[in-house]
């Protein structure tokens, strides 16, 4: 045994000596080829060992490598190089700044070299993402891609998001894009309908469908915009497609990364309502004019004192913390990426917040040279504390709504310590909503897919893809007896559970062939089946003996007023797809795709839809007549896509509860049809034409793309009116047409590279027009009761869909003579003058005009990245111009439901009075008698803005070579530091239902937060 042990020791020593002799230190310098400056922080990776180093302040590096090892050299904005080691011990490398023409870009069902793309695709890698707080994918890409408008419909932690790619196509169907994560199309559903509505009055909860995915796990996001890129997704491609690719491991030693940040958030401002002193003065003046005496006596005023600033009582400075730990690595056959995430964001509104625990595991294993298995697995649990905002009825809304409107002269508590509820208001005490309402959510979500790739023949790959996405959501709301509603109902509880399932089975074949160096083609064919299930259970109860059980025991409530309901739905898609890509002489590119989609949502006569596309591109720079240093490619495409987002069973005759009848002294409930079936119902079809140019000049120092597109969506799904004799009021029918057209510009430039100083800029611009072309033979559809203030939108040919529709105010009456000579004979001085549009001498609904639109004239994104010797400054501006929003806060202020509600300061300081005849706003006296409508030119506001979205200063601390800690980055970030806008609401981007319809309305939205944070990133 001793001899064997000695032999092992000798062999081990010889192995170590052999390894040491085979590996040598390679030293060198990396510089910019054009300017000769040293490149600081350039990456050198030994792909065999997995060891990597970066260059120092003088561009120098040292790395261990053996003969035959492959070194990969990369630096942001420069063409990547690969060098195989022979017998050299020194490498002096010159890097060329330029377009990475062979960068691989993810597209539908595969990848393509960037230089071979024929479609319009916005590709963003990790370095392109927005910095700072991001609790979901959408916040990484906001403002970064031309023609892609991302807005947070509610800034509540985990709140809803809206993404519009090249405008809005539909009136009644969805306008959100399809999200595909690692090749798995996910369910976009983010609504809970019901929620114990009978008990709590809150009927819709909008949440972010992407919040279960940790943004730190994302490697790239590709946005497919034109039909050439999206048609292969058929009936779900009309609104564009967002492809999300998560990180994977690489062969080499295991890398460990730890990222964390901690910060504080605050509401950037308070809404400018009347303070206590101003409120008393205004209310007294109005009361004298209305009823002849003041609302507050001197005794009242003395007892009130300073009053209460309700916004200060509801808002707070809120902490936020995020921690990510990831591991990646692998061998020649197996690679892995694993991560753990903890995210905790308190809301700036008290008693709101979001907490998420998440984990991811990505594995790839080569079973053999021909057989590969890949697993992508994500699981998370998310806990939400909600503000009860954006409910369907005003008085059911939460503390933000109440804090703006509540009387500042009212105390928080009564003398006995209980909450004070004003007898002059129907709005609840804001603090009672914070402390007396329990509004909790829990979402458990696990999704992922496993793929099997087998090389049947050289170049022919068969792929099986199985995916599953399961969500279990529960929402609990309890209004305790501390609140106005809870006290009236003896406590009100509501529980909603939502279960969503999504299963995918997909088989594709992909064949690629390089005919020679400059000619190649690829063929794709496949079949895919996807099934979606949705189950909802709601229960509500009132009249509890005590608040202590909240929603934990609904059976304690009064059984005579208990409410229960449930539903179950499912839909399926069966699809066949194909695509061909051909490159001729590396100059002329051709792409054609086709998809046949069968959907259970549509009528028996139209179960299948067919969606073709074709694209051509010409690499002009490959022609001999083009000068060196100029990259130029021309693109054009045409194709058709569909939209099936209309809900389930809309083509069928469904039934609902009917009348009751008495038979044999017993009561029987009947059923009755709720709609007329339409066997011809089918998807909306969008036909899109795109012309584009990709270019790069000065060796890629300036690169970009320009696109012009036209999208025509026809066979719109509209509810057309029916004669009353049918027993129904409308039928869902394919009629109508909407057009979107626009131009997009994307630029990237390397402005300065001089020594250790580097400055680069990214810029995007989009101008998109939207127009209703035809609406089933009707001249107009007046719709959009967006915030319970009456119809506020119109759809009419020649105008953008959901244009704001109301009365134009041209001034304020000053004298009885002006009133007598007007179309408003019953008005008084101080009342608004409404435009008599048709000149008939009366103000009627026929006098309404278009007052604005929910779509901007243009959007801009501007980012700058400046670095010097380890320091980096990054800032990003976003601008949205030429868009309006309906401000429901302004409506509540001008037309208060109760006299004693608080009001916007600007409206009542600049209100009409005999001493202020040139005022902008009416007198505030008897607003219910104004006539006209609440939706008017004073409540439709300009929602344009310029925003400094992120500002980050970081420092990369130099690390010694071969140190355990290989990288350490410290940074500070400010988000939403500055917003320039004339909009008087919380956020010009806010929208009550922005993620479910093209219409927008700001109804006491959750405030956008200003955030300051400190973070560090470490790699081992």
């Amino acid at each position: 045994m001793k001899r064997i042990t000695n032999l092992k020791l000798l062999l081990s020593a010889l192995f170590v000596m052999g390894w040491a002799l085979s590996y040598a230190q390679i030293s060198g310098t990396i510089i910019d080829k054009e300017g000769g400056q040293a490149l600081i922080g350039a990456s050198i990776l030994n792909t065999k060992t997995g060891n990597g180093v970066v260059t120092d302040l003088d561009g120098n590096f040292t790395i261990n490598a053996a003969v035959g090892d492959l070194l990969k050299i990369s630096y942001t904005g420069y063409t990547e190089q690969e060098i195989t080691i022979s017998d050299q011990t020194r490498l002096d490398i010159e890097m060329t700044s330029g377009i990475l023409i062979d960068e691989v870009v993810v597209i539908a069902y595969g990848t393509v070299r960037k230089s071979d793309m024929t479609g319009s695709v916005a590709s963003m890698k990790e370095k392109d993402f927005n910095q700072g707080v991001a609790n979901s994918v959408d916040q990484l890409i906001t403002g970064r891609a031309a023609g892609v408008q991302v807005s947070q419909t509610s800034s509540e932690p985990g709140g809803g998001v809206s993404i519009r790619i090249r405008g809005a196509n539909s009136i009644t169907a969805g306008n959100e894009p399809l999200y595909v994560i690692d090749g798995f199309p996910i369910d976009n559903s983010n609504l809970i309908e019901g929620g114990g509505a009978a008990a709590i009055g809150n009927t819709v909860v909008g949440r972010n469908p992407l919040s279960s995915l940790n943004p730190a796990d994302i490697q790239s996001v590709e946005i497919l915009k034109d039909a050439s890129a999206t048609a292969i997704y058929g009936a779900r491609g009309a609104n564009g497609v967002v492809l999300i690719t998560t990180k994977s491991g690489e062969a080499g030693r295991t890398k460990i990364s730890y990222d964390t940040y901690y910060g504080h958030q605050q509401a950037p401002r308070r809404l400018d309502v009347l303070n206590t002193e101003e409120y008393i003065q205004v209310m007294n003046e109005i009361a004298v004019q209305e009823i002849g005496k003041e609302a507050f006596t001197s005794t009242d005023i003395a007892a009130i004192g300073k009053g209460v600033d309700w916004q200060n009582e509801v808002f707070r400075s809120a902490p936020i913390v995020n921690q990510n730990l990831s591991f990646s690595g692998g061998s020649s056959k197996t690679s892995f990426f694993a991560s753990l995430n903890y995210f905790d964001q308190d809301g700036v509104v008290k008693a709101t917040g979001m907490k998420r625990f998440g984990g991811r595991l990505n594995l790839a294993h080569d079973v053999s040279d021909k057989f590969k298995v890949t697993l992508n697995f994500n699981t998370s649990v998310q806990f939400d504390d909600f503000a009860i905002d954006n409910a369907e009825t005003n008085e059911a809304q939460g503390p933000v709504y109440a804090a703006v409107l509540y009387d500042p002269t009212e105390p928080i508590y009564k003398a006995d310590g209980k909450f004070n509820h004003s007898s002059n208001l129907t709005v609840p005490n804001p603090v009672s909503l914070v402390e007396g309402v329990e509004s909790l959510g829990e979402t458990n979500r696990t999704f992922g897919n496993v793929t099997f790739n087998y090389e049947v023949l050289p170049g022919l790959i068969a792929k099986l893809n199985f995916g599953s996405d399961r969500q279990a959501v529960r929402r609990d709301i309890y209004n305790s007896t501390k609140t106005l509603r809870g006290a009236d109902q003896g406590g009100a509880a509501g529980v909603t559970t939502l279960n969503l399932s999504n299963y995918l089975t997909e088989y594709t074949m992909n064949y690629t062939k390089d005919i020679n160096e400059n000619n190649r083609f690829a063929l794709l064919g496949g079949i895919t089946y996807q099934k979606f299930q949705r189950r909802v259970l709601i229960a509500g109860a009132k009249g509890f003996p005590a608040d202590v059980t909240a929603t934990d025991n609904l059976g304690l409530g009064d059984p005579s007023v208990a409410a229960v309901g449930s539903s179950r739905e499912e839909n399926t898609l069966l699809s066949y797809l194909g695509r061909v890509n051909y490159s001729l002489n590396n100059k002329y590119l051709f792409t054609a795709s086709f998809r046949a989609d069968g959907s259970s949502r549509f009528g028996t006569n139209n179960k299948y839809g067919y969606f073709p596309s074709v694209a051509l591109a010409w690499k002009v720079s490959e022609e001999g007549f083009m000068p060196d240093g100029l990259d130029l490619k021309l693109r054009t495409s045409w194709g058709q896509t569909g939209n099936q987002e209309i809900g389930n069973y809309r083509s069928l005759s469904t039934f609902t509860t009917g009348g009751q009848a008495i038979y044999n002294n017993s009561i029987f409930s009947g059923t009755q049809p709720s709609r007329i079936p339409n066997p011809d119902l089918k998807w909306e079809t969008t036909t899109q034409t795109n012309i584009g140019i990709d270019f790069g000049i000065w060796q890629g120092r300036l690169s970009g793309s320009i696109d012009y597109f036209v999208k025509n969506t026809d066979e719109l799904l509209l509810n057309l009116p029916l004669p009353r004799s049918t027993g129904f009021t409308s039928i869902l029918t394919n009629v109508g047409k909407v057009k979107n057209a626009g131009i997009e510009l994307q630029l990237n430039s390397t402005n300065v590279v001089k020594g250790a100083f580097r400055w680069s800029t990214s810029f995007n611009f989009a101008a998109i027009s939207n127009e209703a072309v035809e609406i089933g033979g009707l001249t107009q559809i007046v719709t959009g009761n967006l915030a319970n203030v009456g119809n506020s939108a119109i759809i009419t040919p020649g105008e953008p869909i959901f244009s704001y529709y109301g009365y134009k105010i041209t001034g304020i009456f000053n004298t009885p003579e002006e009133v007598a000579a007007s179309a408003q004979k019953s008005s008084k001085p101080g009342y608004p003058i409404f435009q008599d549009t048709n000149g008939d001498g009366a103000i009627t609904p026929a006098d309404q005009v278009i007052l604005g639109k929910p779509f901007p004239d243009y959007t801009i994104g501007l980012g700058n990245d400046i670095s010097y010797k380890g320091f980096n400054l990054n800032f990003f501006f976003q601008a949205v111009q030429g868009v309006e929003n309906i401000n429901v806060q302004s409506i509540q202020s001008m037309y208060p439901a109760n006299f004693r509600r608080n009001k916007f300061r600007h409206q009542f300081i600049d209100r009409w009075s005999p001493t202020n005849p040139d005022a902008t706003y009416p007198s505030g006296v008897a607003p219910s008698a104004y006539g006209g409508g609440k939706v008017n030119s004073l409540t439709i506001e300009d929602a344009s803005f310029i925003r400094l979205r992120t500002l980050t200063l970081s420092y990369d601390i130099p690390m010694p070579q071969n140190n355990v800690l290989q990288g350490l980055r410290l940074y500070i970030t400010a988000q939403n530091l500055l917003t320039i806008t004339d909009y008087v609401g919380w956020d010009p981007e806010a929208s009550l239902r922005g993620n479910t319809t093209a219409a927008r309305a700001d109804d006491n939205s959750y405030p956008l937060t200003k955030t300051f944070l400190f973070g560090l990133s470490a790699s081992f």
Side-chain angles (χ1 to χ4, degrees):
M1 288 293 292
K2 187 174 182 180
R3 289 180 180 177
I4 294 174
T5 302
N6 290 337
L7 180 59
K8 287 182 177 179
L9 291 173
L10 178 61
L11 291 173
S12 297
L14 290 173
F15 173 78
V16 172
M17 290 176 61
W19 180 88
L21 290 173
S22 64
Y23 276 81
Q25 282 194 336
I26 308 296
S27 300
T29 303
I30 299 180
I31 63 172
D32 174 77
K33 182 177 181 180
E34 183 179 352
Q37 299 91 354
L39 296 182
I40 303 167
S43 173
I44 305 95
L45 174 68
N46 187 325
T47 59
K48 184 175 182 180
T49 66
N51 292 322
V53 297
V54 295
T55 54
D56 60 18
L57 297 179
D58 298 315
N60 299 320
F61 70 92
T62 301
I63 190 171
N64 290 324
V67 174
D69 286 2
L70 180 67
L71 299 185
K72 183 181 291 185
I73 299 94
S74 60
Y75 191 69
T76 302
Y78 285 75
T79 304
E80 188 175 86
Q81 295 188 34
E82 292 183 347
I83 298 175
T84 302
I85 299 300
S86 54
D87 57 353
Q88 68 265 55
T89 60
R90 182 169 181 82
L91 291 172
D92 292 316
I93 302 166
E94 296 179 334
M95 298 193 74
T96 302
S97 174
I99 305 171
L100 303 179
I101 59 173
D102 289 327
E103 177 185 350
V104 175
V105 176
V106 177
I107 59 172
Y109 300 97
T111 59
V112 67
R113 295 193 306 182
K114 188 173 183 179
S115 60
D116 287 346
M117 281 200 310
T118 56
S120 181
V121 179
S123 179
M124 286 164 281
K125 308 300 183 185
E126 192 172 8
K127 63 182 176 60
D128 304 312
F129 295 156
N130 290 324
Q131 302 183 30
V133 175
N135 59 31
S136 62
V137 180
D138 55 279
Q139 295 175 4
L140 296 177
I141 62 174
T142 300
R144 291 286 179 173
V148 180
Q149 188 177 3
V150 183
S151 58
Q152 194 81 11
T153 58
S154 170
S155 295
E156 184 175 4
V161 64
S162 171
I163 297 181
R164 296 286 182 267
I165 299 176
R166 293 186 165 181
N169 303 316
S170 182
I171 294 173
T172 58
N175 282 285
E176 295 297 306
L178 173 69
Y179 300 105
V180 181
I181 302 176
D182 294 321
F184 179 27
I186 68 168
D187 186 355
N188 286 6
S189 177
N190 64 347
L191 295 179
I192 299 177
E193 298 176 358
I200 52 143
N202 194 28
T203 58
V204 176
V205 180
R207 307 305 287 162
N208 192 329
L210 301 174
S211 63
S212 298
L213 178 62
N214 178 16
D217 291 343
I218 297 171
Q219 177 176 300
S220 68
V221 175
E222 273 79 20
I223 301 176
L224 313 184
K225 297 190 287 186
D226 74 334
S228 171
T230 62
I232 202 163
Y233 284 108
R236 294 178 291 177
N239 300 321
V241 181
V242 178
L243 303 181
I244 301 168
T245 304
T246 59
K247 295 177 180 177
S248 57
E250 294 182 353
R253 70 176 186 84
T254 299
K255 300 176 184 178
I256 303 174
S257 297
Y258 174 69
D259 304 284
T260 185
Y261 60 72
Y262 176 83
H264 272 270
Q265 313 155 90
Q266 61 189 49
R269 61 192 178 94
R270 300 288 191 262
L271 291 193
D272 192 13
V273 296
L274 298 170
N275 62 32
T276 304
E277 182 181 350
E278 294 167 336
Y279 176 84
I280 291 172
Q281 179 183 344
V282 167
M283 300 305 284
N284 275 346
E285 290 175 357
I286 294 176
V288 167
Q289 291 177 281
E290 282 193 349
I291 60 176
K293 66 176 183 177
E294 294 183 335
F296 297 94
T297 66
S298 58
T299 303
D300 294 333
I301 296 171
I304 290 168
K306 293 183 179 180
V308 178
D309 185 330
W310 292 104
Q311 293 183 68
N312 283 345
E313 297 298 328
V314 165
F315 294 117
R316 65 183 176 184
S317 177
I320 183 170
V321 63
N322 185 55
Q323 299 191 64
N324 286 294
L325 180 64
S326 66
F327 308 84
S328 65
S331 64
S332 59
K333 288 187 173 293
T334 304
S335 63
F336 68 90
F337 173 84
S339 72
L340 296 171
N341 170 245
Y342 169 70
F343 181 83
D344 189 357
Q345 181 181 11
D346 285 348
V348 294
V349 177
K350 293 177 181 178
T352 67
M354 165 190 166
K355 188 178 294 184
R356 179 183 63 213
F357 301 87
R360 168 166 287 275
L361 176 62
N362 290 351
L363 285 173
H365 177 64
D366 293 337
V367 180
S368 68
D369 291 341
K370 294 185 177 182
F371 186 33
K372 181 178 181 178
V373 180
T374 303
L375 169 70
N376 300 292
F377 176 83
N378 191 96
T379 188
S380 67
V381 57
Q382 180 174 316
F383 301 96
D384 294 285
D385 291 339
F386 295 87
I388 319 172
D389 287 331
N390 298 337
E392 292 296 319
T393 57
N394 287 336
E395 312 303 23
Q397 297 190 50
V400 175
Y401 171 87
V404 173
L405 297 175
Y406 212 73
D407 182 345
T409 68
E410 293 283 350
I412 301 174
Y413 302 101
K414 295 187 293 187
D416 60 4
K418 295 181 179 180
F419 281 110
N420 170 60
H421 294 289
S422 173
S423 60
N424 297 313
L425 294 170
T426 54
V427 179
N429 180 319
V431 181
S432 76
L433 295 177
V434 170
E435 298 183 12
V437 176
E438 185 178 90
S439 181
L440 306 174
E442 180 179 340
T443 302
N444 290 273
R445 186 174 189 180
T446 298
F447 64 88
N449 59 321
V450 58
T451 60
F452 302 92
N453 291 273
Y454 185 77
E455 187 177 13
V456 181
L457 296 170
L460 179 62
I461 306 295
K463 179 179 179 180
L464 271 172
N465 183 15
F466 299 102
S468 172
D469 180 7
R470 295 178 62 85
Q471 298 182 65
V473 185
R474 177 176 168 128
R475 172 78 183 271
D476 291 62
I477 302 180
Y478 184 74
N479 277 265
S480 74
T481 52
K482 294 180 181 180
T483 68
L484 197 63
R485 180 181 299 107
D488 179 61
Q489 299 177 349
V495 177
T496 300
T497 63
L498 168 68
N499 289 277
L500 296 172
S501 300
N502 170 11
Y503 304 103
L504 172 73
T505 301
E506 186 174 84
Y507 177 72
T508 56
M509 297 283 286
N510 201 328
Y511 180 65
T512 58
K513 175 70 174 178
D514 290 345
I515 302 172
N516 52 44
E517 184 178 353
N518 294 318
N519 295 273
R520 53 191 174 273
F521 70 90
L523 298 175
L524 169 72
I527 181 173
T528 174
Y529 174 80
Q530 199 159 6
K531 182 176 182 178
F532 303 89
Q533 292 180 328
R534 174 189 177 96
R535 291 181 296 167
V536 177
L537 176 65
I538 64 174
K542 307 173 186 178
F544 293 87
D547 291 327
V548 65
T549 58
T551 58
D552 295 333
N553 192 343
L554 298 184
L556 291 177
D558 183 351
S560 66
V561 291
V564 66
S566 65
S567 66
R568 179 175 180 174
E569 301 176 10
E570 69 176 40
N571 66 289
T572 57
L573 276 171
L574 176 62
S575 311
Y576 304 89
L577 58 94
R579 182 175 61 209
V580 58
N581 296 84
Y582 186 72
S583 174
L584 176 63
N585 295 329
N586 197 33
K587 298 179 183 178
Y588 314 109
L589 309 174
F590 170 78
T591 300
S593 70
F594 180 81
R595 180 162 178 142
D597 259 336
S599 173
S600 64
R601 286 181 167 172
F602 294 97
T604 55
N605 297 336
N606 285 303
K607 283 299 182 186
Y608 275 88
Y610 305 97
F611 306 98
S613 77
V614 62
L616 298 170
W618 176 25
K619 295 183 183 178
V620 185
S621 52
E622 294 295 323
E623 301 289 355
F625 57 80
M626 293 294 292
D628 293 337
L630 176 64
D631 289 294
L632 181 63
K633 181 172 67 177
L634 306 181
R635 297 178 280 106
T636 185
S637 67
W638 173 92
Q640 292 184 322
T641 49
N643 188 347
Q644 63 140 19
E645 299 303 318
I646 62 166
N648 299 319
Y649 315 127
R650 300 295 297 274
S651 68
L652 305 176
S653 177
T654 55
F655 290 81
T656 187
T657 302
Q660 293 182 331
I662 298 176
Y663 181 74
N664 283 341
N665 296 321
S666 297
I667 298 176
F668 293 88
S669 295
T671 59
Q672 63 186 32
S674 58
R675 68 166 62 94
I676 292 180
N678 182 358
D680 295 321
L681 196 70
K682 62 180 180 180
W683 29 69
E684 301 176 345
T685 300
T686 297
T687 303
Q688 183 173 182
T689 302
N690 191 95
I691 300 173
I693 302 173
D694 299 329
F695 62 89
I697 57 177
W698 303 315
Q699 297 297 325
R701 292 286 290 269
L702 176 64
S703 62
S705 62
I706 302 173
D707 282 87
Y708 172 75
F709 69 90
V710 176
K711 290 199 303 181
N712 289 300
T713 301
D714 55 17
E715 297 172 332
L716 290 181
L717 292 159
L718 295 176
N719 286 297
L720 292 186
L722 290 173
R724 290 186 177 273
S725 58
T726 64
F728 300 90
T729 58
S730 64
I731 183 173
L732 188 64
T733 310
N734 289 99
V735 293
K737 183 176 181 179
V738 167
K739 176 182 177 181
N740 288 277
I743 186 169
E744 301 168 345
L745 171 65
Q746 192 93 31
L747 294 175
N748 295 283
S749 66
T750 302
N751 306 319
V752 178
V753 178
K754 188 173 183 180
F757 182 78
R758 182 179 177 86
W759 172 30
S760 61
T761 297
S762 64
F763 173 82
N764 69 78
F765 170 88
I768 300 173
S769 63
N770 176 278
E771 177 188 352
V773 178
E774 198 269 328
I775 51 173
L778 302 176
T779 58
Q780 64 180 34
I781 301 174
V782 179
T783 182
N785 187 15
L786 301 177
N788 301 295
V789 292
N791 288 333
S792 52
I794 188 172
I795 302 164
T796 186
E799 299 291 343
I801 59 175
F802 292 104
S803 292
Y804 298 112
Y805 193 56
Y807 296 87
K808 184 176 180 179
I809 294 177
T810 59
I812 309 294
F813 287 114
N814 276 310
T815 65
E817 290 75 18
E818 289 182 356
V819 173
S822 74
Q824 299 165 243
K825 308 298 184 184
S826 61
S827 288
K828 296 179 181 179
Y831 285 16
I833 303 172
F834 295 103
Q835 178 177 283
D836 182 10
T837 305
N838 60 8
D840 64 355
I843 301 301
T844 67
D847 293 312
Q848 294 177 97
V849 296
I850 291 176
L851 300 171
K853 61 187 186 305
F855 311 109
D857 291 334
Y858 63 89
T859 59
I860 293 175
L862 176 64
N864 281 274
D865 192 85
I866 302 170
S867 59
Y868 180 73
K869 291 188 176 181
F871 288 94
N872 180 266
L873 177 66
N874 181 283
F875 55 94
F876 181 73
F877 283 92
Q878 181 189 14
V880 176
Q881 298 294 306
V883 61
E884 287 76 33
N885 204 352
I886 178 171
N887 189 337
V888 181
Q889 291 102 318
S890 288
I891 293 176
Q892 297 286 354
S893 178
M894 281 186 62
Y895 299 90
N898 311 112
F899 175 72
R900 291 286 288 270
R901 291 190 181 200
N902 205 352
K903 301 165 178 61
F904 274 140
R905 184 178 186 276
H906 69 277
Q907 290 182 349
F908 283 81
I909 297 300
D910 185 24
R911 74 187 189 284
W912 183 92
S913 68
T915 59
N916 187 27
D918 297 325
T920 303
Y921 294 92
S923 64
V925 176
S928 60
Y930 288 167
K934 297 178 181 180
V935 179
N936 56 57
S937 54
L938 292 179
T939 57
I940 302 294
E941 297 183 12
D942 181 5
S944 303
F945 68 90
I946 300 173
R947 176 171 290 154
L948 176 55
R949 188 165 285 277
T950 61
L951 174 66
T952 297
L953 177 64
S954 65
Y955 179 63
D956 290 288
I957 299 175
M959 292 289 116
Q961 297 289 338
N962 301 317
N963 193 46
V964 174
L965 181 60
Q966 294 198 342
L968 181 61
R969 179 174 179 259
L970 305 177
Y971 63 91
I972 54 175
T973 294
Q975 285 184 279
N976 304 316
L977 191 61
L978 172 69
T979 300
I980 302 172
T981 183
D982 292 331
Y983 190 72
V984 300
W986 294 111
D987 181 12
E989 285 189 290
S991 179
L992 174 65
R993 300 186 186 93
N995 53 1
T996 58
T997 178
R1000 298 175 71 229
D1002 177 12
D1003 190 4
N1004 293 280
S1005 62
Y1006 197 101
L1008 183 73
T1009 59
K1010 183 186 296 184
T1011 306
F1012 301 90
L1013 59 87
F1014 171 79
L1016 67 85
S1017 300
S1019 58
F1020 303 88

